[in-house]
Amino acid sequence: MFMLSLKVPKKSICLIIAITIISIIIIIPHVFKNEMKQSPESYLTSLGYSPKLISEEQITLPEKFNSVLQEYNNLQKDQGFDLSKYAGKSCIKKRFSVSSKNIPEDKDAVVDLLLFDGKLVGGDLHFQIYDQCPMKIDSMS
């Protein structure tokens, strides 16, 4: 039987572990940041929709949410978003018409996505009938 014994100083092992941990801390946020900055079209396509951009506008979320916007934010939180983090900040609202095998052909489905600094921070799908009474998010106070 052949045995190989290596004597590595503890300082070297600690240094290697420290470099590995620092590398992970530096690299991982960049990976997730790039993932979060995928295009809205790619995001919608990954959810099974065929998107077509209708409009894009800059909006400002209110500093304080009224009861309607608070309830809307509760729905957003159920989906993993939280608009309260962006209260008082300017966002881009992109509106897409979407089609999918799950949406009846006679329905005009629309998706609104909210982006802050290129990052998706909220969104919703609704049918075009709601657009007959438009309500701007930045006018809700």
Side-chain angles (χ1 to χ4, degrees):
M1 175 183 250
F2 178 73
M3 281 185 73
L4 178 63
S5 175
L6 287 175
K7 292 192 178 189
V8 181
K10 288 183 181 180
K11 286 183 181 180
S12 295
I13 293 173
C14 290
L15 182 61
I16 291 170
I17 291 172
I19 290 171
T20 303
I21 290 172
I22 291 170
S23 297
I24 290 171
I25 290 171
I26 291 171
I27 292 170
I28 287 183
H30 292 291
V31 171
F32 285 115
K33 186 175 182 180
N34 288 337
E35 226 176 61
M36 294 303 290
K37 285 197 171 189
Q38 68 178 323
S39 75
E41 291 87 349
S42 297
Y43 174 72
L44 292 171
T45 301
S46 74
L47 296 175
Y49 298 110
S50 296
K52 180 182 173 198
L53 184 64
I54 298 173
S55 65
E56 181 176 323
E57 66 179 309
Q58 186 169 340
I59 63 166
T60 300
L61 294 174
E63 293 272 340
K64 279 187 130 184
F65 291 0
N66 66 10
S67 61
V68 174
L69 196 48
Q70 188 60 51
E71 191 61 35
Y72 178 76
N73 194 40
N74 289 338
L75 294 171
Q76 293 296 299
K77 287 178 183 179
D78 289 343
Q79 302 304 314
F81 299 112
D82 183 1
L83 295 177
S84 65
K85 296 176 184 178
Y86 305 96
K89 302 211 186 270
S90 292
C91 296
I92 299 295
K93 181 177 106 177
K94 290 191 174 197
R95 175 165 285 180
F96 297 87
S97 67
V98 293
S99 59
S100 163
K101 63 181 180 180
N102 298 324
I103 299 173
E105 288 184 25
D106 64 335
K107 302 289 184 190
D108 292 327
V110 175
V111 170
D112 288 332
L113 296 181
L114 296 175
L115 296 103
F116 177 77
D117 194 26
K119 177 183 169 188
L120 179 63
V121 297
D124 63 84
L125 179 137
H126 57 273
F127 294 105
Q128 196 68 23
I129 190 169
Y130 293 122
D131 290 340
Q132 293 173 3
C133 302
M135 181 169 41
K136 290 194 175 271
I137 222 169
D138 56 348
S139 66
M140 299 168 128
S141 54

